[in-house]
Amino acid sequence: MNATLEKSFELFARRISLSQHELNDALERAKEICQFLSQGTAVQGCKITGSMARSTAIQGFSDVDIVAALSPSLSARNTPYSIAERLLDTLRPRYREARISENTVRISFTQGPDVDVIPAIPDTVNPNGRVIYKIPSPDRSRWNTYAPEERNQEINRKGALLGNEFIHLIKIIKWWSKQHGQPIASYEIENIASATFFDRMPPITRAIVEFFETAERSLEGRKEGHSSSVSEARDIANKALQCEQRGDTRGALDRWGILLGDQFSSVVS
């Protein structure tokens, strides 16, 4: 891979990542919320999960996810809708900015990432001994299954096997998705990346093209706007890669700037 392109992507990945100080502050905030929840009787356990636990968080967009494990008996007496309201009632006395956001209770802060607290009912245990939860669906009309530890283990395992380039890829695609109305959800980006790369990681420019090729196949049948965004991204990434292969570094950088926006262009200007 061209050294200029490699350096540009390394700088870009660093720019869109949380600093260690920001990450530490976010995790401390989450721990404080967990400590507050543990004082009551409704919450049996609390754990930090999501992109913060998998080192895939990005500047300005990633929230801290907390799984609040509630008593299994509550699922018999509560609907997915009411269980979220119950968790909100628990948090409101301490965190006045708490509100329902889809299937979570979101606590907003003026500085730093928000915190999403997910009401979760322990349901079963998978063959690896990890708990599978029931959580409200995004519209809170039904229960969905949720295995946060399974995803944490998979992404962390792939990161250890494939190196920083794998984590950088996920962050770059998350950044692209957030800038384009989120045609691919963050958890889907992690799943697609994990399914695309097994035991080797190509250079980041090739990896982005391969990701979008897999995503295009995976997301067939999605609403037109989302699928067309992915197809357009694949086309731009492919053209950037073709420029690189011809030795046209400037042309490649320009096309990557079109795909990834001003934050990328500014690191190469």
Side-chain angles (χ1 to χ4, degrees):
M1 181 180 171
N2 180 292
T4 300
L5 286 165
E6 185 175 7
K7 184 65 174 177
S8 297
F9 274 98
E10 183 181 332
L11 289 171
F12 178 60
R14 192 182 308 161
R15 176 167 291 187
I16 63 175
S17 299
L18 295 178
S19 68
Q20 191 60 51
H21 176 72
E22 290 169 323
L23 179 60
N24 290 343
D25 281 353
L27 293 177
E28 281 302 314
R29 177 176 288 167
K31 288 176 185 176
E32 177 192 294
I33 293 169
C34 284
Q35 288 172 355
F36 172 75
L37 287 171
S38 68
Q39 295 170 9
T41 58
V43 177
Q44 295 186 330
C46 206
K47 64 179 64 178
I48 300 167
T49 186
S51 60
M52 297 289 174
R54 298 190 286 271
S55 302
T56 61
I58 58 173
Q59 284 275 2
F61 295 110
S62 292
D63 301 320
V64 186
D65 293 331
I66 294 174
V67 174
L70 307 173
S71 170
S73 64
L74 290 176
S75 64
R77 306 194 305 269
N78 290 270
T79 64
Y81 184 92
S82 66
I83 207 80
E85 297 289 341
R86 184 186 181 109
L87 184 59
L88 176 64
D89 290 341
T90 301
L91 287 162
R92 265 275 172 81
R94 175 72 173 269
Y95 301 99
R96 302 304 301 170
E97 297 302 315
R99 60 183 174 82
I100 299 291
S101 176
E102 295 186 340
N103 60 344
T104 74
V105 177
R106 174 163 294 177
I107 305 173
S108 299
F109 297 89
T110 54
Q111 291 186 330
D114 294 342
V115 176
D116 283 340
V117 186
I118 307 165
I121 306 289
D123 190 26
T124 60
V125 177
N126 69 13
N128 295 323
R130 300 188 185 102
V131 178
I132 298 174
Y133 297 91
K134 294 193 302 184
I135 65 171
S137 62
D139 63 0
R140 291 177 285 150
S141 65
R142 64 188 184 281
W143 296 108
N144 283 351
T145 58
Y146 183 52
E149 286 305 309
E150 202 69 30
R151 182 172 298 151
N152 290 351
Q153 291 283 335
E154 173 64 9
I155 297 302
N156 289 335
R157 184 185 70 81
K158 280 292 179 76
L161 175 66
L162 300 175
N164 285 336
E165 291 292 292
F166 178 73
I167 300 300
H168 288 173
L169 170 74
I170 290 173
K171 291 179 179 179
I172 289 165
I173 301 297
K174 283 186 177 183
W175 181 267
W176 166 83
S177 185
K178 293 291 188 181
Q179 297 289 330
H180 291 80
Q182 200 161 347
I184 316 177
S186 291
Y187 76 90
E188 291 177 311
I189 291 169
E190 294 178 346
N191 290 346
I192 292 169
S194 187
T196 303
F197 305 104
F198 298 96
D199 55 5
R200 65 163 191 91
M201 193 70 193
I204 191 67
T205 50
R206 164 61 66 181
I208 294 171
V209 172
E210 291 184 14
F211 175 93
F212 280 123
E213 289 173 346
T214 303
E216 193 172 31
R217 293 190 297 271
S218 302
L219 303 178
E220 285 180 2
R222 286 287 182 89
K223 60 184 182 181
E224 182 60 31
H226 286 182
S227 59
S228 63
S229 292
V230 174
S231 297
E232 181 181 349
R234 177 193 40 84
D235 287 343
I236 296 170
N238 241 322
K239 288 174 182 174
L241 184 62
Q242 289 165 9
C243 286
E244 177 188 342
Q245 291 168 340
R246 292 196 304 267
D248 180 8
T249 302
R250 185 69 257 171
L253 289 170
D254 287 345
R255 282 163 176 79
W256 288 122
I258 292 169
L259 182 69
L260 299 172
D262 292 342
Q263 284 278 42
F264 180 84
S265 298
S266 65
V267 303
V268 299
S269 59

